[in-house]
Amino acid sequence: MKTTVFILCGGKSSRMQSEKGLVLFQEKPFIEHIIKAILPITDQIKLITASKEYDYLPYEKIPDLIVDKGPLGGIYTALSHSETEFNLILSCDIPLISTELLQELISKHTKEAKITVFASESKTHPLIGIYSKNIVSVIKEAIDSNELKMMDLLAKLPHQIINIDESENFHLTNINSADELNDLNINLT
């Protein structure tokens, strides 16, 4: 399955107080950990961002088509620019993501699903998912109606949940604040 990967680097990062994808974890920015996990799968990587801070990376940067619409706005921008039917959408704040988990997501995805994501009993991970380019009009309608919750989008569309154990949530953790980053560093020592 030909897939393009889009990393959502936008967002206000109000809790982190800095550009989230560039926060350092184990002496490297989050985004570099994510790219390292993607590269064994594909080098078709694009960043959804208007920030010049990512210019050091050799990937295409695409600013949001509609600003201030959260992750849904980023996904809309990604799918609007995509040339592949299926697209791997990742947030920029998941430094523990592994190639193996991404390969599992891709290999278990079925073409009938418009969205495929991981979920455990306690958490669904809509910003680590495969999204069909064919849902761009549904996303645009949601944005126009200001219905920006990711779980509402999932509920509207044929989707697939790949169940994971609670222990696997750790590798899918998104880090939103300095406290969460500190907790992560403590858990890894």
Side-chain angles (χ1 to χ4, degrees), residues 2 14 64 78 85 88 101 128 148 155 158 162 171 174 177 189:
K2 190 165 166 26
S14 53
D64 275 328
E85 181 179 355
L88 181 57
L101 280 167
I128 302 169
L148 305 177
I162 297 174
H171 294 283
N174 60 322
S177 68
T189 52

Side-chain angles (χ1 to χ4, degrees), residues 24-63:
L24 293 180
F25 170 67
Q26 296 180 341
E27 300 179 19
K28 284 194 329 200
F30 284 1
I31 189 114
E32 291 182 30
H33 291 279
I34 298 164
I35 290 168
K36 183 180 177 191
I38 297 166
L39 284 174
I41 299 167
T42 182
D43 63 355
Q44 297 301 304
I45 301 170
K46 298 180 184 197
L47 309 181
I48 304 300
T49 184
S51 172
K52 298 281 183 218
E53 292 182 72
Y54 292 95
D55 284 354
Y56 79 97
L57 294 165
Y59 303 104
E60 182 181 355
K61 286 92 181 162
I62 305 168

